[in-house]
Amino acid sequence: MSAQDTLAPDTPAENPAPAGPDYQEILYNGLWKNNPALVQLLGLCPLLAVTSTVVNAIGLGLATIVVLLGSNIAVSLIRNYVSEAVRLPAFVMIIASFTTCIELIMQAYTYELYQILGIFIPLIVTNCAILGRADAFASRNPVLPSAVDGLMMGLGFMFVLVVLGGMRELIGQATLFSDMHLLFGDMALGWKITFFSDYPNVLFAILPPGAFIGLGLLIAIKNYYDEKEKQRVAKAQEGQEKVSRRVRVTD
């Protein structure tokens, strides 16, 4: 054996390369397991305030997705160049920049919806879900995983917004997709679905108390499903253990 062979670097088996990001886990965390609204309970102020209709929920959800995606990408790009002392202020400045861009775009193209959403568009800057993902994930991971994480967290947040908005609009007004033209233009004028023409509006569902009760129901449904899934997995593991014990006894 030559000296070169003796000093050869370790084989890949001895020093395996670090595993890449698990995109399936990132997707599952954002949409369900670590959903910002149902699990982390972040960004509840705009979620509860503007989800009286589906169009309001979609408008705020799309704005949040764009800010989450853009800020995660930007934070990931600069993560190795920002000192620890100014890390959080830099993240806030990035989020504020993207929020301002979204605010100006909505003022230009969806002004009526922007007026309805009001202060909750600029308040995206203070959304803890966005700053939390920038600090907990984007500042520690490369650009592509950070972008996927921002997109999935935004979609998970928007999913809860739309479901809650649909529930409140349906119970409160017996309609779905009303005023969608505020976001999608004239092509959405015929999207409104009216279930009962003489329906007495349930004001309670449209007001903030209806938002709290609706969100509580969604959280309860998720917790119930998760508990059932845990029981199913536990039974499956117990069955596998019994089979393995039988095999040992037979051997």
Side-chain angles (χ1 to χ4, degrees), residues 234-251:
K235 288 181 180 179
Q237 291 177 349
E238 184 179 353
Q240 290 177 356
E241 291 177 358
K242 289 182 180 179
V243 171
S244 61
R245 290 171 186 166
R246 291 174 184 169
V247 171
R248 293 196 201 99
V249 171
T250 304
D251 291 342

Side-chain angles (χ1 to χ4, degrees), residues 32 37-39 41 167 212-228:
W32 186 258
L38 297 181
V39 179
L41 301 180
M167 288 172 51
F212 279 98
I213 294 176
L215 181 62
L217 287 174
L218 293 179
I219 295 174
I221 291 171
K222 182 187 183 303
N223 291 341
Y224 175 80
Y225 177 83
D226 288 344
E227 187 63 29
K228 287 293 183 181

Side-chain angles (χ1 to χ4, degrees), residues 145-157:
S146 299
V148 175
D149 177 78
L151 179 61
M152 292 301 107
M153 286 291 170
L155 287 175
F157 186 72

Side-chain angles (χ1 to χ4, degrees), residues 63-83:
T64 305
I65 288 175
V66 173
V67 176
L68 255 172
L69 182 60
S71 62
N72 267 24
I73 292 174
V75 168
S76 179
L77 287 172
I78 68 168
R79 71 186 192 279
N80 296 324
Y81 305 100
V82 178
S83 66

Side-chain angles (χ1 to χ4, degrees), residues 41 44 112 137 170 207 211 251:
L41 301 180
L44 296 186
E112 292 184 35
F137 194 93
L170 181 61
L207 292 176
D251 291 342

Side-chain angles (χ1 to χ4, degrees), residues 4-17:
Q4 183 177 1
D5 294 335
T6 305
L7 299 177
D10 294 333
T11 62
E14 294 174 349
N15 289 315

